Amino acid sequence: MPLSLVAEGPLSGRVRVPGDKSISHRALMLGALAVGETVIDGLLEGEDVHATAAAMRAMGAHAERDAGGRWRVHGVGVGGLLQPAGVLEMGNSGTSTRLLAGLVASHAIRATFVGDASLSKRPMQRIIMPLSQMGARFSGNGDRLPMTVEGASPALPIEYRLPVASAQVKSAVLLAGLNAPGITRVIESVPTRDHSEWMLRGFGADLTVETLPDGARLISVHGEAELKPQRITVPGDISSAAFPLVAALVVPGSEIVIENVGLNPTRTGIIDALAMLGLEVAVEDRGEAGGEPVGALRVRHAMLKGGEVDPTIAPLMIDEYPILMVAAAFADGTTVMRGLEELRVKESDRLAVMAAGLAACGVPVEELEDGIVIHGSGGNPVPGGATAASHLDHRIAMSFAVLGLNAKAPVVVDDARPIATSFPDFLPLMQRMGAATR
């Protein structure tokens, strides 16, 4: 399904983006481990989250959307997951795969995970290492899908220092620790998104966070937990909000407001990165949803100034780098982004794919081993006139669709279908702001 967008004038309006994907996954999983009914408002209705819901149903929980749009999850309790009758189809969702592997790792069940062509290329060694230390056994296709996990009962509590900054690995170990006797500890040298910590405590887990003398964070969870059902409101996903935000930034005369965006400090790296390049995003209507801060983002068309994006910010916005690269393509001067090795093991090699696609669209770029150098257009339209390969990657597809809004010749995304994994309302939302399909 090819897609090409054009801005026939300034973008405007007040819009809302889908619920936060990270929170949606965790709400379903922890609701399935609680005893009783968890009610979720604002759950992301995307394919990745539906994969998680289907997996929880396959392991004994009841998870359904009611007539009013709320999700109701009747859990089985920690330790109560059942053997799935068939394989667990993960589609494109690496988060579902890695976090669910953590759940299975400490239950006396066996589960086989399969995924699409993109997910089947993504490495799983980073979760296999700690979960194997807890007693789980892995078999299948090396460190790729299809992957079979045989849980340990009882699992062994461990202390694990993350070798790479990864909220998925941290969360997989903590989720496994819920059903392991004793205390499971995870040490992260660099802070990563902390939705798991907030939500585990909200469901009643005994979890503590300490700062060690070297500045690292020590997260400890007591096993054999008894989780209590919750009422959860999922805030808007800042990773999704980044696309209309940058669209308004690069289309002359635009001004939009994105309402109810989650502003967890471990997720706002895109706002900080834009500030490094000279743009202050105004935050209005601050409040709280699901125990986390939210607000409305007001953004106007503006000229970014080229500069260096601090690489220490990468763990707080790794998913937003493709759209930040689009913003940098219109900056005044040269932008350097480094510390991006993690982009090479996402849904695609996002570093290589973005460099190739930007170059094809006439943007001068240099791909580095750990980053990219982008020479901006000074606010002028980019040449365009190319077809960008999405590589089954939703964020790549949306990024090049946004690039095409201010291009001299059309930018065509070869396949927009992957967008449904995280942002099924992307095209209607962009059209409500004033964009049109070519």
Side-chain angles (χ1 to χ4, degrees), residues 238 241-242 245-246 258 261-265 267-284 286 295-299 304 309 313 316-317 320 324:
I238 194 168
L245 187 160
V246 171
I258 311 170
V261 178
L263 297 176
N264 181 307
R267 293 290 301 283
T268 54
I270 181 64
I271 296 176
D272 299 333
L274 289 170
M276 294 173 191
L277 301 178
L279 176 70
E280 295 295 334
V281 177
V283 181
E284 306 171 349
R286 291 182 183 271
L297 305 181
R298 181 180 293 274
V299 61
L304 292 182
V309 178
I313 207 171
L316 306 183
M317 58 162 292
E320 288 80 72
L324 180 64

PDB file of all heavy atoms in Angstrom, residues 238 241-242 245-246 258 261-265 267-284 286 295-299 304 309 313 316-317 320 324:
ATOM      1  N   ILE A 238       4.016   9.550  23.230  1.00  0.00           N
ATOM      2  CA  ILE A 238       4.885  10.616  22.739  1.00  0.00           C
ATOM      3  C   ILE A 238       5.663  10.165  21.502  1.00  0.00           C
ATOM      4  O   ILE A 238       6.013  10.992  20.653  1.00  0.00           O
ATOM      5  CB  ILE A 238       5.838  11.117  23.845  1.00  0.00           C
ATOM      6  CG1 ILE A 238       6.486  12.441  23.425  1.00  0.00           C
ATOM      7  CG2 ILE A 238       6.878  10.057  24.213  1.00  0.00           C
ATOM      8  CD1 ILE A 238       7.206  13.152  24.541  1.00  0.00           C
ATOM      9  N   ALA A 241       3.266  10.978  18.897  1.00  0.00           N
ATOM     10  CA  ALA A 241       3.102  12.431  18.813  1.00  0.00           C
ATOM     11  C   ALA A 241       4.246  13.085  18.051  1.00  0.00           C
ATOM     12  O   ALA A 241       4.080  14.166  17.466  1.00  0.00           O
ATOM     13  CB  ALA A 241       3.005  13.025  20.213  1.00  0.00           C
ATOM     14  N   ALA A 242       5.420  12.451  18.042  1.00  0.00           N
ATOM     15  CA  ALA A 242       6.582  13.040  17.370  1.00  0.00           C
ATOM     16  C   ALA A 242       6.338  13.255  15.883  1.00  0.00           C
ATOM     17  O   ALA A 242       6.915  14.176  15.285  1.00  0.00           O
ATOM     18  CB  ALA A 242       7.812  12.149  17.577  1.00  0.00           C
ATOM     19  N   LEU A 245       4.108  16.350  15.331  1.00  0.00           N
ATOM     20  CA  LEU A 245       4.908  17.448  15.853  1.00  0.00           C
ATOM     21  C   LEU A 245       5.923  17.909  14.809  1.00  0.00           C
ATOM     22  O   LEU A 245       6.018  19.103  14.495  1.00  0.00           O
ATOM     23  CB  LEU A 245       5.607  16.996  17.143  1.00  0.00           C
ATOM     24  CG  LEU A 245       6.378  18.014  17.973  1.00  0.00           C
ATOM     25  CD1 LEU A 245       6.551  17.503  19.399  1.00  0.00           C
ATOM     26  CD2 LEU A 245       7.761  18.306  17.403  1.00  0.00           C
ATOM     27  N   VAL A 246       6.677  16.979  14.248  1.00  0.00           N
ATOM     28  CA  VAL A 246       7.689  17.340  13.253  1.00  0.00           C
ATOM     29  C   VAL A 246       7.017  17.798  11.961  1.00  0.00           C
ATOM     30  O   VAL A 246       7.519  18.700  11.273  1.00  0.00           O
ATOM     31  CB  VAL A 246       8.664  16.174  13.009  1.00  0.00           C
ATOM     32  CG1 VAL A 246       9.582  16.455  11.819  1.00  0.00           C
ATOM     33  CG2 VAL A 246       9.501  15.925  14.266  1.00  0.00           C
ATOM     34  N   ILE A 258      -1.124  19.043  20.234  1.00  0.00           N
ATOM     35  CA  ILE A 258      -1.305  17.598  20.414  1.00  0.00           C
ATOM     36  C   ILE A 258      -1.678  17.371  21.871  1.00  0.00           C
ATOM     37  O   ILE A 258      -0.879  17.607  22.785  1.00  0.00           O
ATOM     38  CB  ILE A 258      -0.035  16.805  20.053  1.00  0.00           C
ATOM     39  CG1 ILE A 258       0.508  17.255  18.693  1.00  0.00           C
ATOM     40  CG2 ILE A 258      -0.329  15.308  20.030  1.00  0.00           C
ATOM     41  CD1 ILE A 258       1.878  16.691  18.369  1.00  0.00           C
ATOM     42  N   VAL A 261      -0.628  14.067  25.857  1.00  0.00           N
ATOM     43  CA  VAL A 261       0.587  13.314  25.552  1.00  0.00           C
ATOM     44  C   VAL A 261       1.289  12.931  26.851  1.00  0.00           C
ATOM     45  O   VAL A 261       1.471  13.760  27.751  1.00  0.00           O
ATOM     46  CB  VAL A 261       1.533  14.147  24.673  1.00  0.00           C
ATOM     47  CG1 VAL A 261       2.824  13.380  24.393  1.00  0.00           C
ATOM     48  CG2 VAL A 261       0.845  14.524  23.364  1.00  0.00           C
ATOM     49  N   GLY A 262       1.698  11.677  26.965  1.00  0.00           N
ATOM     50  CA  GLY A 262       2.450  11.237  28.134  1.00  0.00           C
ATOM     51  C   GLY A 262       3.806  11.929  28.203  1.00  0.00           C
ATOM     52  O   GLY A 262       4.540  11.961  27.216  1.00  0.00           O
ATOM     53  N   LEU A 263       4.130  12.468  29.382  1.00  0.00           N
ATOM     54  CA  LEU A 263       5.369  13.226  29.550  1.00  0.00           C
ATOM     55  C   LEU A 263       6.250  12.617  30.637  1.00  0.00           C
ATOM     56  O   LEU A 263       6.931  13.337  31.375  1.00  0.00           O
ATOM     57  CB  LEU A 263       5.045  14.697  29.877  1.00  0.00           C
ATOM     58  CG  LEU A 263       4.284  15.462  28.787  1.00  0.00           C
ATOM     59  CD1 LEU A 263       3.936  16.857  29.264  1.00  0.00           C
ATOM     60  CD2 LEU A 263       5.103  15.516  27.496  1.00  0.00           C
ATOM     61  N   ASN A 264       6.232  11.297  30.737  1.00  0.00           N
ATOM     62  CA  ASN A 264       7.161  10.616  31.642  1.00  0.00           C
ATOM     63  C   ASN A 264       8.585  11.079  31.322  1.00  0.00           C
ATOM     64  O   ASN A 264       9.008  11.054  30.160  1.00  0.00           O
ATOM     65  CB  ASN A 264       7.032   9.097  31.432  1.00  0.00           C
ATOM     66  CG  ASN A 264       7.934   8.283  32.328  1.00  0.00           C
ATOM     67  OD1 ASN A 264       9.140   8.511  32.385  1.00  0.00           O
ATOM     68  ND2 ASN A 264       7.361   7.325  33.022  1.00  0.00           N
ATOM     69  N   PRO A 265       9.351  11.529  32.333  1.00  0.00           N
ATOM     70  CA  PRO A 265      10.694  12.069  32.068  1.00  0.00           C
ATOM     71  C   PRO A 265      11.631  11.115  31.348  1.00  0.00           C
ATOM     72  O   PRO A 265      12.585  11.559  30.708  1.00  0.00           O
ATOM     73  CB  PRO A 265      11.216  12.415  33.470  1.00  0.00           C
ATOM     74  CG  PRO A 265      10.002  12.606  34.303  1.00  0.00           C
ATOM     75  CD  PRO A 265       8.985  11.639  33.762  1.00  0.00           C
ATOM     76  N   ARG A 267      10.795   9.454  28.806  1.00  0.00           N
ATOM     77  CA  ARG A 267      10.307   9.324  27.438  1.00  0.00           C
ATOM     78  C   ARG A 267      10.385  10.630  26.645  1.00  0.00           C
ATOM     79  O   ARG A 267      10.050  10.640  25.465  1.00  0.00           O
ATOM     80  CB  ARG A 267       8.845   8.844  27.442  1.00  0.00           C
ATOM     81  CG  ARG A 267       8.636   7.425  27.949  1.00  0.00           C
ATOM     82  CD  ARG A 267       9.176   6.391  26.997  1.00  0.00           C
ATOM     83  NE  ARG A 267       8.557   6.484  25.682  1.00  0.00           N
ATOM     84  CZ  ARG A 267       7.346   6.038  25.380  1.00  0.00           C
ATOM     85  NH1 ARG A 267       6.600   5.458  26.302  1.00  0.00           N
ATOM     86  NH2 ARG A 267       6.878   6.160  24.150  1.00  0.00           N
ATOM     87  N   THR A 268      10.774  11.725  27.290  1.00  0.00           N
ATOM     88  CA  THR A 268      10.674  13.033  26.630  1.00  0.00           C
ATOM     89  C   THR A 268      11.966  13.442  25.938  1.00  0.00           C
ATOM     90  O   THR A 268      12.202  14.627  25.711  1.00  0.00           O
ATOM     91  CB  THR A 268      10.260  14.110  27.644  1.00  0.00           C
ATOM     92  OG1 THR A 268      11.161  14.090  28.764  1.00  0.00           O
ATOM     93  CG2 THR A 268       8.839  13.878  28.136  1.00  0.00           C
ATOM     94  N   GLY A 269      12.787  12.487  25.553  1.00  0.00           N
ATOM     95  CA  GLY A 269      14.048  12.807  24.886  1.00  0.00           C
ATOM     96  C   GLY A 269      13.861  13.572  23.592  1.00  0.00           C
ATOM     97  O   GLY A 269      14.684  14.418  23.246  1.00  0.00           O
ATOM     98  N   ILE A 270      12.752  13.329  22.854  1.00  0.00           N
ATOM     99  CA  ILE A 270      12.535  14.036  21.594  1.00  0.00           C
ATOM    100  C   ILE A 270      12.373  15.533  21.833  1.00  0.00           C
ATOM    101  O   ILE A 270      12.867  16.364  21.059  1.00  0.00           O
ATOM    102  CB  ILE A 270      11.308  13.461  20.838  1.00  0.00           C
ATOM    103  CG1 ILE A 270      11.092  14.172  19.501  1.00  0.00           C
ATOM    104  CG2 ILE A 270      10.054  13.516  21.693  1.00  0.00           C
ATOM    105  CD1 ILE A 270      12.198  13.986  18.507  1.00  0.00           C
ATOM    106  N   ILE A 271      11.718  15.896  22.923  1.00  0.00           N
ATOM    107  CA  ILE A 271      11.562  17.317  23.255  1.00  0.00           C
ATOM    108  C   ILE A 271      12.912  17.917  23.618  1.00  0.00           C
ATOM    109  O   ILE A 271      13.253  19.034  23.197  1.00  0.00           O
ATOM    110  CB  ILE A 271      10.545  17.492  24.398  1.00  0.00           C
ATOM    111  CG1 ILE A 271       9.155  17.032  23.933  1.00  0.00           C
ATOM    112  CG2 ILE A 271      10.502  18.937  24.882  1.00  0.00           C
ATOM    113  CD1 ILE A 271       8.099  17.064  25.012  1.00  0.00           C
ATOM    114  N   ASP A 272      13.704  17.166  24.374  1.00  0.00           N
ATOM    115  CA  ASP A 272      15.033  17.648  24.760  1.00  0.00           C
ATOM    116  C   ASP A 272      15.943  17.771  23.537  1.00  0.00           C
ATOM    117  O   ASP A 272      16.720  18.728  23.425  1.00  0.00           O
ATOM    118  CB  ASP A 272      15.653  16.698  25.789  1.00  0.00           C
ATOM    119  CG  ASP A 272      14.842  16.602  27.067  1.00  0.00           C
ATOM    120  OD1 ASP A 272      14.141  17.584  27.383  1.00  0.00           O
ATOM    121  OD2 ASP A 272      14.894  15.560  27.730  1.00  0.00           O
ATOM    122  N   ALA A 273      15.853  16.799  22.622  1.00  0.00           N
ATOM    123  CA  ALA A 273      16.698  16.836  21.424  1.00  0.00           C
ATOM    124  C   ALA A 273      16.348  18.034  20.546  1.00  0.00           C
ATOM    125  O   ALA A 273      17.237  18.704  20.012  1.00  0.00           O
ATOM    126  CB  ALA A 273      16.553  15.534  20.639  1.00  0.00           C
ATOM    127  N   LEU A 274      15.062  18.318  20.381  1.00  0.00           N
ATOM    128  CA  LEU A 274      14.655  19.474  19.594  1.00  0.00           C
ATOM    129  C   LEU A 274      15.138  20.771  20.255  1.00  0.00           C
ATOM    130  O   LEU A 274      15.521  21.725  19.564  1.00  0.00           O
ATOM    131  CB  LEU A 274      13.140  19.490  19.420  1.00  0.00           C
ATOM    132  CG  LEU A 274      12.574  18.409  18.481  1.00  0.00           C
ATOM    133  CD1 LEU A 274      11.057  18.368  18.564  1.00  0.00           C
ATOM    134  CD2 LEU A 274      13.030  18.627  17.047  1.00  0.00           C
ATOM    135  N   ALA A 275      15.136  20.785  21.597  1.00  0.00           N
ATOM    136  CA  ALA A 275      15.648  21.965  22.297  1.00  0.00           C
ATOM    137  C   ALA A 275      17.130  22.170  22.010  1.00  0.00           C
ATOM    138  O   ALA A 275      17.605  23.310  21.888  1.00  0.00           O
ATOM    139  CB  ALA A 275      15.397  21.836  23.800  1.00  0.00           C
ATOM    140  N   MET A 276      17.892  21.062  21.887  1.00  0.00           N
ATOM    141  CA  MET A 276      19.306  21.159  21.552  1.00  0.00           C
ATOM    142  C   MET A 276      19.509  21.786  20.174  1.00  0.00           C
ATOM    143  O   MET A 276      20.555  22.369  19.901  1.00  0.00           O
ATOM    144  CB  MET A 276      19.959  19.775  21.586  1.00  0.00           C
ATOM    145  CG  MET A 276      20.023  19.134  22.953  1.00  0.00           C
ATOM    146  SD  MET A 276      20.635  17.418  22.850  1.00  0.00           S
ATOM    147  CE  MET A 276      20.276  16.842  24.514  1.00  0.00           C
ATOM    148  N   LEU A 277      18.488  21.643  19.308  1.00  0.00           N
ATOM    149  CA  LEU A 277      18.562  22.182  17.952  1.00  0.00           C
ATOM    150  C   LEU A 277      17.788  23.496  17.832  1.00  0.00           C
ATOM    151  O   LEU A 277      17.492  23.954  16.727  1.00  0.00           O
ATOM    152  CB  LEU A 277      18.045  21.153  16.953  1.00  0.00           C
ATOM    153  CG  LEU A 277      18.787  19.804  16.951  1.00  0.00           C
ATOM    154  CD1 LEU A 277      18.154  18.841  15.945  1.00  0.00           C
ATOM    155  CD2 LEU A 277      20.269  19.978  16.654  1.00  0.00           C
ATOM    156  N   GLY A 278      17.449  24.086  18.967  1.00  0.00           N
ATOM    157  CA  GLY A 278      16.905  25.441  18.968  1.00  0.00           C
ATOM    158  C   GLY A 278      15.409  25.574  19.044  1.00  0.00           C
ATOM    159  O   GLY A 278      14.886  26.694  18.946  1.00  0.00           O
ATOM    160  N   LEU A 279      14.668  24.483  19.247  1.00  0.00           N
ATOM    161  CA  LEU A 279      13.206  24.576  19.305  1.00  0.00           C
ATOM    162  C   LEU A 279      12.714  24.252  20.714  1.00  0.00           C
ATOM    163  O   LEU A 279      12.983  23.175  21.246  1.00  0.00           O
ATOM    164  CB  LEU A 279      12.558  23.597  18.325  1.00  0.00           C
ATOM    165  CG  LEU A 279      11.022  23.559  18.407  1.00  0.00           C
ATOM    166  CD1 LEU A 279      10.415  24.844  17.863  1.00  0.00           C
ATOM    167  CD2 LEU A 279      10.459  22.345  17.682  1.00  0.00           C
ATOM    168  N   GLU A 280      11.990  25.179  21.310  1.00  0.00           N
ATOM    169  CA  GLU A 280      11.353  24.927  22.592  1.00  0.00           C
ATOM    170  C   GLU A 280       9.888  24.568  22.338  1.00  0.00           C
ATOM    171  O   GLU A 280       9.107  25.394  21.862  1.00  0.00           O
ATOM    172  CB  GLU A 280      11.447  26.162  23.495  1.00  0.00           C
ATOM    173  CG  GLU A 280      12.872  26.525  23.906  1.00  0.00           C
ATOM    174  CD  GLU A 280      13.537  25.470  24.780  1.00  0.00           C
ATOM    175  OE1 GLU A 280      12.792  24.730  25.470  1.00  0.00           O
ATOM    176  OE2 GLU A 280      14.779  25.388  24.770  1.00  0.00           O
ATOM    177  N   VAL A 281       9.529  23.331  22.634  1.00  0.00           N
ATOM    178  CA  VAL A 281       8.141  22.887  22.481  1.00  0.00           C
ATOM    179  C   VAL A 281       7.354  23.337  23.702  1.00  0.00           C
ATOM    180  O   VAL A 281       7.716  22.993  24.830  1.00  0.00           O
ATOM    181  CB  VAL A 281       8.060  21.359  22.313  1.00  0.00           C
ATOM    182  CG1 VAL A 281       6.606  20.904  22.219  1.00  0.00           C
ATOM    183  CG2 VAL A 281       8.833  20.915  21.072  1.00  0.00           C
ATOM    184  N   ALA A 282       6.297  24.097  23.491  1.00  0.00           N
ATOM    185  CA  ALA A 282       5.486  24.584  24.605  1.00  0.00           C
ATOM    186  C   ALA A 282       4.607  23.463  25.137  1.00  0.00           C
ATOM    187  O   ALA A 282       3.980  22.722  24.373  1.00  0.00           O
ATOM    188  CB  ALA A 282       4.622  25.751  24.150  1.00  0.00           C
ATOM    189  N   VAL A 283       4.560  23.310  26.471  1.00  0.00           N
ATOM    190  CA  VAL A 283       3.725  22.306  27.120  1.00  0.00           C
ATOM    191  C   VAL A 283       2.606  23.017  27.871  1.00  0.00           C
ATOM    192  O   VAL A 283       2.863  23.881  28.703  1.00  0.00           O
ATOM    193  CB  VAL A 283       4.541  21.424  28.082  1.00  0.00           C
ATOM    194  CG1 VAL A 283       3.634  20.378  28.730  1.00  0.00           C
ATOM    195  CG2 VAL A 283       5.689  20.746  27.342  1.00  0.00           C
ATOM    196  N   GLU A 284       1.360  22.647  27.580  1.00  0.00           N
ATOM    197  CA  GLU A 284       0.182  23.268  28.190  1.00  0.00           C
ATOM    198  C   GLU A 284      -0.676  22.198  28.846  1.00  0.00           C
ATOM    199  O   GLU A 284      -0.480  20.998  28.638  1.00  0.00           O
ATOM    200  CB  GLU A 284      -0.647  23.992  27.117  1.00  0.00           C
ATOM    201  CG  GLU A 284       0.151  25.008  26.301  1.00  0.00           C
ATOM    202  CD  GLU A 284      -0.615  25.556  25.110  1.00  0.00           C
ATOM    203  OE1 GLU A 284      -1.691  24.993  24.793  1.00  0.00           O
ATOM    204  OE2 GLU A 284      -0.151  26.532  24.505  1.00  0.00           O
ATOM    205  N   ARG A 286      -1.044  20.776  31.756  1.00  0.00           N
ATOM    206  CA  ARG A 286      -0.386  19.657  32.455  1.00  0.00           C
ATOM    207  C   ARG A 286      -1.369  18.965  33.396  1.00  0.00           C
ATOM    208  O   ARG A 286      -2.218  19.601  34.030  1.00  0.00           O
ATOM    209  CB  ARG A 286       0.821  20.154  33.233  1.00  0.00           C
ATOM    210  CG  ARG A 286       1.978  20.624  32.336  1.00  0.00           C
ATOM    211  CD  ARG A 286       3.175  21.057  33.167  1.00  0.00           C
ATOM    212  NE  ARG A 286       4.266  21.571  32.354  1.00  0.00           N
ATOM    213  CZ  ARG A 286       5.233  20.819  31.853  1.00  0.00           C
ATOM    214  NH1 ARG A 286       5.247  19.514  32.081  1.00  0.00           N
ATOM    215  NH2 ARG A 286       6.200  21.366  31.131  1.00  0.00           N
ATOM    216  N   GLY A 295       0.398  16.202  29.198  1.00  0.00           N
ATOM    217  CA  GLY A 295       0.245  17.605  28.832  1.00  0.00           C
ATOM    218  C   GLY A 295      -0.058  17.725  27.354  1.00  0.00           C
ATOM    219  O   GLY A 295      -0.038  16.735  26.610  1.00  0.00           O
ATOM    220  N   ALA A 296      -0.373  18.928  26.932  1.00  0.00           N
ATOM    221  CA  ALA A 296      -0.607  19.221  25.521  1.00  0.00           C
ATOM    222  C   ALA A 296       0.634  19.890  24.954  1.00  0.00           C
ATOM    223  O   ALA A 296       1.213  20.780  25.584  1.00  0.00           O
ATOM    224  CB  ALA A 296      -1.825  20.130  25.362  1.00  0.00           C
ATOM    225  N   LEU A 297       1.050  19.465  23.769  1.00  0.00           N
ATOM    226  CA  LEU A 297       2.230  20.022  23.111  1.00  0.00           C
ATOM    227  C   LEU A 297       1.774  20.982  22.016  1.00  0.00           C
ATOM    228  O   LEU A 297       1.027  20.593  21.123  1.00  0.00           O
ATOM    229  CB  LEU A 297       3.084  18.908  22.502  1.00  0.00           C
ATOM    230  CG  LEU A 297       3.539  17.787  23.439  1.00  0.00           C
ATOM    231  CD1 LEU A 297       4.385  16.782  22.668  1.00  0.00           C
ATOM    232  CD2 LEU A 297       4.309  18.341  24.623  1.00  0.00           C
ATOM    233  N   ARG A 298       2.214  22.229  22.109  1.00  0.00           N
ATOM    234  CA  ARG A 298       1.920  23.208  21.066  1.00  0.00           C
ATOM    235  C   ARG A 298       3.200  23.434  20.260  1.00  0.00           C
ATOM    236  O   ARG A 298       4.253  23.736  20.828  1.00  0.00           O
ATOM    237  CB  ARG A 298       1.448  24.532  21.668  1.00  0.00           C
ATOM    238  CG  ARG A 298       1.107  25.608  20.608  1.00  0.00           C
ATOM    239  CD  ARG A 298       0.651  26.904  21.253  1.00  0.00           C
ATOM    240  NE  ARG A 298      -0.624  26.739  21.929  1.00  0.00           N
ATOM    241  CZ  ARG A 298      -1.814  26.854  21.352  1.00  0.00           C
ATOM    242  NH1 ARG A 298      -1.890  27.129  20.049  1.00  0.00           N
ATOM    243  NH2 ARG A 298      -2.931  26.696  22.051  1.00  0.00           N
ATOM    244  N   VAL A 299       3.094  23.286  18.951  1.00  0.00           N
ATOM    245  CA  VAL A 299       4.279  23.451  18.109  1.00  0.00           C
ATOM    246  C   VAL A 299       3.921  24.269  16.873  1.00  0.00           C
ATOM    247  O   VAL A 299       2.850  24.101  16.292  1.00  0.00           O
ATOM    248  CB  VAL A 299       4.879  22.077  17.707  1.00  0.00           C
ATOM    249  CG1 VAL A 299       3.894  21.239  16.913  1.00  0.00           C
ATOM    250  CG2 VAL A 299       6.174  22.235  16.932  1.00  0.00           C
ATOM    251  N   LEU A 304      14.995  24.886  12.679  1.00  0.00           N
ATOM    252  CA  LEU A 304      15.977  24.287  13.584  1.00  0.00           C
ATOM    253  C   LEU A 304      17.367  24.744  13.177  1.00  0.00           C
ATOM    254  O   LEU A 304      17.633  25.031  12.002  1.00  0.00           O
ATOM    255  CB  LEU A 304      15.907  22.765  13.528  1.00  0.00           C
ATOM    256  CG  LEU A 304      14.654  22.091  14.079  1.00  0.00           C
ATOM    257  CD1 LEU A 304      14.805  20.580  13.968  1.00  0.00           C
ATOM    258  CD2 LEU A 304      14.386  22.497  15.508  1.00  0.00           C
ATOM    259  N   VAL A 309      23.520  16.429  18.687  1.00  0.00           N
ATOM    260  CA  VAL A 309      22.566  15.900  19.651  1.00  0.00           C
ATOM    261  C   VAL A 309      23.345  15.054  20.656  1.00  0.00           C
ATOM    262  O   VAL A 309      24.060  14.125  20.283  1.00  0.00           O
ATOM    263  CB  VAL A 309      21.482  15.065  18.956  1.00  0.00           C
ATOM    264  CG1 VAL A 309      20.512  14.484  19.982  1.00  0.00           C
ATOM    265  CG2 VAL A 309      20.724  15.909  17.941  1.00  0.00           C
ATOM    266  N   ILE A 313      21.377  11.025  25.368  1.00  0.00           N
ATOM    267  CA  ILE A 313      19.922  11.093  25.345  1.00  0.00           C
ATOM    268  C   ILE A 313      19.302   9.912  24.603  1.00  0.00           C
ATOM    269  O   ILE A 313      18.096   9.673  24.696  1.00  0.00           O
ATOM    270  CB  ILE A 313      19.485  12.427  24.699  1.00  0.00           C
ATOM    271  CG1 ILE A 313      18.127  12.866  25.206  1.00  0.00           C
ATOM    272  CG2 ILE A 313      19.470  12.343  23.181  1.00  0.00           C
ATOM    273  CD1 ILE A 313      17.740  14.265  24.772  1.00  0.00           C
ATOM    274  N   LEU A 316      16.562   7.523  25.934  1.00  0.00           N
ATOM    275  CA  LEU A 316      15.286   8.151  26.258  1.00  0.00           C
ATOM    276  C   LEU A 316      14.451   8.452  25.023  1.00  0.00           C
ATOM    277  O   LEU A 316      13.319   8.919  25.152  1.00  0.00           O
ATOM    278  CB  LEU A 316      15.525   9.452  27.046  1.00  0.00           C
ATOM    279  CG  LEU A 316      16.388   9.333  28.305  1.00  0.00           C
ATOM    280  CD1 LEU A 316      16.466  10.682  29.014  1.00  0.00           C
ATOM    281  CD2 LEU A 316      15.816   8.280  29.246  1.00  0.00           C
ATOM    282  N   MET A 317      14.996   8.197  23.822  1.00  0.00           N
ATOM    283  CA  MET A 317      14.235   8.524  22.614  1.00  0.00           C
ATOM    284  C   MET A 317      14.656   7.683  21.415  1.00  0.00           C
ATOM    285  O   MET A 317      14.555   8.128  20.284  1.00  0.00           O
ATOM    286  CB  MET A 317      14.396  10.008  22.274  1.00  0.00           C
ATOM    287  CG  MET A 317      15.821  10.468  22.048  1.00  0.00           C
ATOM    288  SD  MET A 317      15.938  12.033  21.165  1.00  0.00           S
ATOM    289  CE  MET A 317      15.327  11.591  19.538  1.00  0.00           C
ATOM    290  N   GLU A 320      12.436   7.629  18.453  1.00  0.00           N
ATOM    291  CA  GLU A 320      12.103   8.891  17.795  1.00  0.00           C
ATOM    292  C   GLU A 320      13.214   9.399  16.871  1.00  0.00           C
ATOM    293  O   GLU A 320      13.050  10.436  16.209  1.00  0.00           O
ATOM    294  CB  GLU A 320      11.785   9.971  18.828  1.00  0.00           C
ATOM    295  CG  GLU A 320      10.470   9.787  19.544  1.00  0.00           C
ATOM    296  CD  GLU A 320      10.535   8.766  20.668  1.00  0.00           C
ATOM    297  OE1 GLU A 320      11.139   9.054  21.713  1.00  0.00           O
ATOM    298  OE2 GLU A 320       9.998   7.652  20.481  1.00  0.00           O
ATOM    299  N   LEU A 324      13.338  12.494  14.033  1.00  0.00           N
ATOM    300  CA  LEU A 324      14.259  13.595  14.321  1.00  0.00           C
ATOM    301  C   LEU A 324      15.186  13.825  13.131  1.00  0.00           C
ATOM    302  O   LEU A 324      15.543  14.967  12.818  1.00  0.00           O
ATOM    303  CB  LEU A 324      15.081  13.294  15.577  1.00  0.00           C
ATOM    304  CG  LEU A 324      16.082  14.387  15.991  1.00  0.00           C
ATOM    305  CD1 LEU A 324      15.360  15.678  16.373  1.00  0.00           C
ATOM    306  CD2 LEU A 324      16.966  13.908  17.144  1.00  0.00           C
TER     307      LEU A 324
END
